[in-house]
Every structure is written in C-alpha cells, then in structure tokens.
Amino acid sequence: MPRLLALLTLVLAAPAVGAQPDTPLEDGARALILGVDGADLTRLNSGSLGLKWHRSEERAIRLGVTVAAEAQAVFGNDSNSQLFSASATLIPLRYRRSRTPIYLYTGIGPTGRLALRRVDVENQLSQATASISAGLAGVVGVEWIVAEAIGITGEYGQELVLQGDFADDEVVRLSFRPRGVRLGLAVYF
C-alpha cells in the first residue's frame, strides 16, 4: 500500500513539475485527504483519512481520523502484544499566500484518542489496558499543488494531552508528545 501511494504520487506529480496549476485553495473548496504516518513508507501500521473545507485562500478547517494497529511478538519469553488506537482531530488551518504552488500552513485544534493494548505471555492474558486522551494538536506543514485538483502534503505536529490509563491503577497525566511526520495526498472536489 505505501509503495502504491508513493508510485501514485510520482505519476500524478510528473506532468506538473515546472507547471503553475490554478490553485484549488479558494472559498468553498473541499478536499479528501489520504495520509500515512511517518516518513518510513516501507511499513504501514497507521493511516489517516480527512476532510478539508476552505473558507478562503488563507483559511480552512480539517477534520481527520487516524487508525493504527500493531502486533509484536517476543520469542525469548513467548509473549506478544497488540495495540489498536483511533483518534480524531479538528484543526483550523491558516495558509500563507504564495506565488508558487507550494503553500505553508499552520494550525492548532482539539484532538482525542482511544487506545487499547493487550499483552499475552505464554498464551495467557497477562494484561489488558485502555487509555483515553484529549487535548490540543498543533501542526506546521506544506501543501504542493501538483495539478488543478491534486495536492501533496507533508506536516509535522505536536500534542499536549491529558491522558487517562485504565488498568489495575488508574493514572491520569499531562503529556507533550510528537505527532511525527505525516505525508498525504489531497484530492479536491
């Protein structure tokens, strides 16, 4: 899947290199955003789907949902763990005007996440935990308009969240954590 996304991006971007397409960043424009987390496209364990509504060339609102799943086995002590998480973020974006088809954007908005983890040792359930977090997410990124209705995005983000871990002992803590690098493809309609 990640290789397919990279290949699709190259195929769509090739005819547009050097071209100055019309910008779709205008009042009323909408986009579907498909994204992957992390700069390592060789393994994909999470992805995001988003919708973006432009209120003007400089302002937009993005609603995104990210789902991640990961399984890990440790053969030395015959244990394995599984993690599933889902998060949602609503971020108002501010675009900087540009004479080129590359636009810088920033944004900050609310985020929430639910994560479930299960650890088995010797095929017996040894621990199951759930955590819920809510807070603020901030992003800085670029969007390159490669064709009239296609944009490639790359961004980096941070989160400040209040997280509750629910297991034997309930723990609530405030944490500052990276969202990491996210790459995406925006299709305007």
Side-chain angles (χ1 to χ4, degrees):
M1 175 69 183
R3 290 186 181 148
L4 178 62
L5 181 62
L7 180 62
L8 179 64
T9 301
L10 289 174
V11 168
L12 293 172
V17 173
Q20 292 283 336
D22 292 334
T23 178
L25 308 182
E26 56 190 30
D27 186 23
R30 296 177 308 270
L32 176 67
I33 303 169
L34 305 171
V36 293
D37 294 349
D40 181 10
L41 295 178
T42 59
R43 74 178 185 104
L44 178 65
N45 63 354
S46 66
S48 60
L49 180 64
L51 289 173
K52 181 171 63 162
W53 298 272
H54 276 271
R55 296 171 36 207
S56 70
E57 185 176 345
E58 296 174 343
R59 296 186 186 272
I61 296 175
R62 183 180 69 196
L63 172 64
V65 175
T66 301
V67 176
E70 187 174 312
Q72 191 173 46
V74 179
F75 295 106
N77 61 2
D78 204 19
S79 70
N80 64 57
S81 68
Q82 297 106 25
L83 170 69
F84 171 80
S85 68
S87 62
T89 306
L90 181 66
I91 300 181
L93 299 173
R94 173 88 180 189
Y95 281 79
R96 187 163 180 225
R97 287 185 181 253
S98 176
R99 293 185 194 144
T100 70
I102 299 174
Y103 292 83
L104 174 69
Y105 64 85
T106 58
I108 189 167
T111 186
R113 179 176 185 240
L114 169 66
L116 305 171
R117 179 178 298 273
R118 177 186 170 118
V119 178
D120 296 321
V121 177
E122 297 176 359
N123 296 324
Q124 298 286 330
L125 175 64
S126 63
Q127 184 180 25
T129 61
S131 67
I132 298 173
S133 61
L136 290 175
V139 297
V140 59
V142 294
E143 183 169 354
W144 176 29
I145 307 300
V146 296
E148 188 172 326
I150 304 290
I152 298 173
T153 64
E155 71 181 35
Y156 178 77
Q158 293 280 335
E159 293 179 346
L160 177 64
V161 295
L162 185 62
Q163 179 174 330
D165 293 325
F166 304 99
D168 295 334
D169 297 327
E170 293 182 11
V171 176
V172 177
R173 66 178 172 272
L174 185 66
S175 63
F176 190 65
R177 64 180 180 215
R179 289 170 55 94
V181 174
R182 294 184 178 197
L183 305 173
L185 181 67
V187 179
Y188 287 85
F189 56 95

